[in-house]
Amino acid sequence: MAVFTASDASAESGAALGPAYDRVRGATRALAAPLSAEDQCVQPMEDASPTKWHLAHTTWFFETFVLPLADTSYRPHDDRFAFLFNSYYESVGPRQPRPQRGMITRPSLDEVHAYRDRVDDTMRAMLRRPLSPELRARVVLGLEHEMQHQELLLTDALETLASNPTLPTYRAREATKETAAPALHWIERAEGLVEMGHAGAGFCFDNERPRHRAFVERFSFASRLVTNGEWLAFMNDGGYATPSLWLSDGWAAVRSNGWRAPHHWIDRQGAWHRFGLRGLRPVDVTSPVAHVSFYEADAYARWAKARLPTEAEWEIVATHARPPLENVLETGALEPRPLESNGDAAAVHQLFGDVWEWTSSPYVAYPRYRPLDGALGEYNAKFMCNQWVLRGASCFTPGASVRATYRNFFPPAARWQATGVRLAKWNLRT
Amino acid sequence: MAVFTASDASAESGAALGPAYDRVRGATRALAAPLSAEDQCVQPMEDASPTKWHLAHTTWFFETFVLPLADTSYRPHDDRFAFLFNSYYESVGPRQPRPQRGMITRPSLDEVHAYRDRVDDTMRAMLRRPLSPELRARVVLGLEHEMQHQELLLTDALETLASNPTLPTYRAREATKETAAPALHWIERAEGLVEMGHAGAGFCFDNERPRHRAFVERFSFASRLVTNGEWLAFMNDGGYATPSLWLSDGWAAVRSNGWRAPHHWIDRQGAWHRFGLRGLRPVDVTSPVAHVSFYEADAYARWAKARLPTEAEWEIVATHARPPLENVLETGALEPRPLESNGDAAAVHQLFGDVWEWTSSPYVAYPRYRPLDGALGEYNAKFMCNQWVLRGASCFTPGASVRATYRNFFPPAARWQATGVRLAKWNLRT
Amino acid sequence: MAVFTASDASAESGAALGPAYDRVRGATRALAAPLSAEDQCVQPMEDASPTKWHLAHTTWFFETFVLPLADTSYRPHDDRFAFLFNSYYESVGPRQPRPQRGMITRPSLDEVHAYRDRVDDTMRAMLRRPLSPELRARVVLGLEHEMQHQELLLTDALETLASNPTLPTYRAREATKETAAPALHWIERAEGLVEMGHAGAGFCFDNERPRHRAFVERFSFASRLVTNGEWLAFMNDGGYATPSLWLSDGWAAVRSNGWRAPHHWIDRQGAWHRFGLRGLRPVDVTSPVAHVSFYEADAYARWAKARLPTEAEWEIVATHARPPLENVLETGALEPRPLESNGDAAAVHQLFGDVWEWTSSPYVAYPRYRPLDGALGEYNAKFMCNQWVLRGASCFTPGASVRATYRNFFPPAARWQATGVRLAKWNLRT
Amino acid sequence: MAVFTASDASAESGAALGPAYDRVRGATRALAAPLSAEDQCVQPMEDASPTKWHLAHTTWFFETFVLPLADTSYRPHDDRFAFLFNSYYESVGPRQPRPQRGMITRPSLDEVHAYRDRVDDTMRAMLRRPLSPELRARVVLGLEHEMQHQELLLTDALETLASNPTLPTYRAREATKETAAPALHWIERAEGLVEMGHAGAGFCFDNERPRHRAFVERFSFASRLVTNGEWLAFMNDGGYATPSLWLSDGWAAVRSNGWRAPHHWIDRQGAWHRFGLRGLRPVDVTSPVAHVSFYEADAYARWAKARLPTEAEWEIVATHARPPLENVLETGALEPRPLESNGDAAAVHQLFGDVWEWTSSPYVAYPRYRPLDGALGEYNAKFMCNQWVLRGASCFTPGASVRATYRNFFPPAARWQATGVRLAKWNLRT
């Protein structure tokens, strides 16, 4: 799978964006390829969108926010698509209700492909011309936006396949070797006034800015992620049946949803299995746990006599660790993978790849935060309540999107993303 | 479009069923043909099923209730299909929840076609052999069942197309000539003890039996259906805003659903249009109103100082009128059509075709009713509450299904079928 | 407890209504007396109304439908009460939403008593004057209406007390003697064209008219009601876990409500108890089962290889049997009581008293039915859908309300009334 | 109304708690006195509890967490009350579901008074004996807990009275003089590392601890609260109809709830009125707006080109301002009052009293936060998600509860508390 790197997107000349554009757009199409037109059309739940909708929406994004800026005489490919493929931009106009995205059987997948081709042609022609800074910034935003949707496309497709009693496989499984999870170590950091938020010239979303100061207390940070095996211990210890471990809203979610294991875990004759894009198989105890909600992550941490890290803690560890990309979309693993047991025990592992890590930080604006102007101001700002920040990246995240300051966010009961758990503590010595 | 006639289905010899089988099965496939694989996969609401599900379920019906009876060693085409395509037979086993029928992206449409082909081959081989009476009856039941699903396939597909903001057309409209609705006449009938219910050798469902006596008072019966133009008069007179016209539950339905016109009526710049399988066009005032609920039919009748007929009244009129099939599925009209104004004013018109007619009769068992034995007893009996009987046939009903004793039934708020209104009165003279 | 007899209400002279008025009004107040002001204020569920609301609504009925007819200058006691205490008369004006009746903490119970006193004074003065036939009819309707609310007052109060985890008692239990339920006999009736509906000069509701003909097939009718002991046998045989016994909607109700026993049955350490106005005690196996829904009654009948009687069957049996009142409100039993085992085995027992009997007849209008004129036309007519007829009377029914033609009606899932089961069969010999 | 001061509760000797105990307990009873037994019994919505329940629950708190610690042989007044009056302590046992608190008609109000008297007698006897530090701390916690419920008792009672269409008054209105709201000034504060959280010996809840450092940027802080008049300007400018002003969840709340004005605002013939414990009257444009949700506060701030303060900002302003109590419970105002226009314009006004002030801070734990041990750990900790911090105090808050470090918290859509708006800005000069 082609890799799009951040440096491409931030290159100086307009023409330099052409190859990046092609790679990102091609990668999206490639990710959809194993799915049939029927798979790509349906909507398994309100949160998840059909694959075809992702293909069209990301195209609509260029058509709406980029092409008219480059050419005021630009006419949309189809006047009806603004209604069908606007996601949530109130400023742009009315739109198909989110729960009804699965009813868009027309345009057909072929017509959406033609829509992509047509817009791609226009975009490529535009990219051969000089670009104003604003236009260039919007092209980059469109590519970053599309990379975000690549991840959603996969997690939403997983939800679709999991909704089918026959549990179809997205891609056949490869042989995997057995490993043993290395022991979890605690990395300590001193207290201090730190800087956090994005700095420098590379791309970032508005919510990563401005860089600002925060005071952080001394803390300890787990060297690796919580594993499926550890999660089974939590389950076997009555984790899902012990209200004192849970936030009040979390306990209500356990009760009303009947949670007793992570999402996509299936009990087959008493043995826990896990369904993923590569099918159903027995739970691998050494892989990081995935598809758990914030409520579950928080309850697990309480059970483990630890806590979740704040996003400031996470960011300063990640910034200084300069960690490698470990298991992102381009590896093709499509599932969280166990940490190699011969890793450096003293190092921080699994920060970027495998699973997103729930933090203890509600998703709110940084001090002096300013959204983008105009309709694009709706991109992030209006979601700054009732959600929690996740940091890192998952096995579904394009490598080019990964950076230490990235702020992912989801509601506390969300489980359909590849979300996992890293522990922290205030201080081991006291 | 091929026509299957009832006489085929009731023919004496086993082999005689072969052509009927081919015609019915072929007709179902032909009805689905204008729809894409995506159209055929999605589920627009809980009541409506995907086209592909209809194709597979009708096949499963033969596989479950016919083939094992003919050959005890018969093995299902795919063991997973019993779960996916059982509709509501508790006796047969667990099944895909009804609201989740739209999630069956796999098997693909092609695989469902292969399923049909495979079962058809086995069925045809079986039909070349002598059939026991029970087996023969089940084949006929399977064909009648499939014809019922042909109608549902179309009304459900209409619901799917109507759920798409672009309002795709199933089949292009043909030119239609303008007509004027003839005046409505009242046909009078004397009181008396009558017989109703199915008699004779032809096929009927268990709920049409046994034939029994009922006392019917003197009544008057409308010569034709209520038209869209008359319905507009009801609307313009505040019909949807006058609680005294409505049953209490009907008024609650008006309020909670925001009803202000029949289903599939759309207000475009102040002009009422109607969406159908042949697209959107201005409401034709001379055509029969369709897609109204029992609640609306009942309120309209009260407004018109009339009432709905009982099913006994309807049946004795229809039995004696020996009316022709007027506008059923095989005409290809796909929409209710206006009555020709040069019709015989003294006759009863539009009894069979155009729209189903709500009666004032709740759907309950006839005296001494006995459901079929075994799982097939679930076919009709368990639905005998909270529904109302409709009589006649609609423009989506296969002609071979039409008979005067047929009892269709739907809940009082249902509007997605082609359901309309015929009026009755107790006595014009008093 | 004072007994109001129908002959009082139908007396010829206006003055003769005075004593009846006093008895009915006094009886309502007496029924509320064991309940505290708090008990009388709250609303345990949407279907049930607070006691205080019943006290006020029945008074509002006289104030709205009687007093202004007698004296056009009559001014309501309090202008706000029309909003608070109108039940469902759309023609009369807006009103407190039904689910919010429990929020009427003001007027206080004392104020409602004063309201009753004031209206009673005015009514009594009016009753001393000559009455027009229409006025007289409305007074009688008001009294019959209030008797209906006496029954609801008790069943709703039972619901309130049952909603309190401490299960308070309305009235202390009296010692009851043990009995054995006599064997159930089948009474046979021949087929024929019968007359049903109210005839004669006495009071009846509009829905009991007009008297009309119906054809009834030969049938058998159970000599007594189904007992708690027989219901336990149904439960122990898996009645609540066997879908084939249930209507489809009934099975859905079992599942969604978690029904596994009649309403007000409580499992205490493995032993079934029953809560009633006289408190909690072990289920009495020889008493008639009560507080079962139509769905349960229908399933029980299917399990017992019988069926529920039609309302025509019930009425012709009851009319010819001229049965005595057995266990109505005035006996003060407040609970269904076992049939004396020394009863005449060949007779039909328990028709009037103990429990209302679900019939297999949906609640619809009789042929040529005409509702009352004006707002009072809303009394019965607008509820003629989605409900089932019950016949007889319960231990909460005032004796003066009891008659063979009375049509009670409730939705099929309703369980908070004292509703039970009598069986019928088509024919024992075939 | 008696005033309980914090210094009482924190006095050194055990006996010194006696008068404080009497004052707090007496104050609760006095607050309930204007309400009838019926008023005190019902529950107007799930969030709000009946007055009687507050009276009993606060008593249960002493009976559960204090008396058994003082005397291990203590037996509860009534074994059933643990179920009825436990609020949310999972560790203590099962309990009446919150939405069913209004069904507790028994025990009667008199019985609850007797319960209070009995526990008060036992408590007073205990308080005459020496107290262990733990016991003393729990008595103080019980009193602080009861003061919290005094505020809830009033806001919940307001909800009850507002649910009655007759809008009963809790206490008659006093004449109020007209004022003009003084101009809003911006108080500036420099950036810096600050300390926040409770320090010293006085009482605080566990969530106010530990005192810790936070970095705060330079900011400006409004000298007074937003007024009703300013809110009307927001409304008249289309504030409730402009999605770009709202968080996404806030806009959804506006749509689904039909919000178009603050809670308890009623449109009477085109003029906005406000209902409060002192009845309905035209909106006073110079009083602080109250009963707005976080969503509305946030949207208003965006409209006003400002923002809500963080809780750190709020606390450091309040700590240094040493502001007086302005309009708390003991003033008996029972409504937010306008700021005197002759107030010192340069000062910060209305910090403690009138309305709680929404901050921009989600309610989460302070660094190194530790809940209380045992069941009391459920007091605050398990609610630390999906809520927002409010600071200050309202006209319903007992003066003795008021302190600069107090962290009140409610979900973002809550409107039934006296919640208002103070603005902040990052920096006026840039």
Side-chain angles (χ1 to χ4, degrees), chain C residues 34 36-39 41-44 52 80 83-84 96 102-109 160-161 163-166 168, chain D residues 34 36-39 41-44 52 80 83-84 96 102-109 160-161 163-166 168:
Chain C
S36 71
E38 291 153 280
D39 294 334
C41 184
V42 303
Q43 182 175 27
K52 184 170 73 177
R80 303 169 303 178
F83 185 90
L84 294 176
Q96 178 80 341
M103 291 314 299
I104 307 173
T105 62
R106 321 273 184 102
S108 69
L109 181 56
T160 292
L161 298 173
S163 296
N164 190 316
T166 66
Chain D
S36 71
E38 291 153 280
D39 294 334
C41 185
V42 303
Q43 182 174 28
K52 185 171 74 177
R80 303 168 302 177
F83 186 89
L84 294 176
Q96 177 80 340
M103 291 315 298
I104 307 173
T105 62
R106 320 272 184 103
S108 69
L109 181 56
T160 293
L161 298 173
S163 297
N164 190 317
T166 67

Side-chain angles (χ1 to χ4, degrees), chain C residues 170-193:
Chain C
Y170 172 86
R171 187 174 295 165
R173 183 177 305 286
E174 294 166 347
T176 52
K177 60 179 172 182
E178 290 292 313
T179 65
L184 184 155
H185 294 270
W186 294 100
I187 316 297
E188 293 200 39
R189 299 281 171 177
E191 73 174 33
L193 195 62

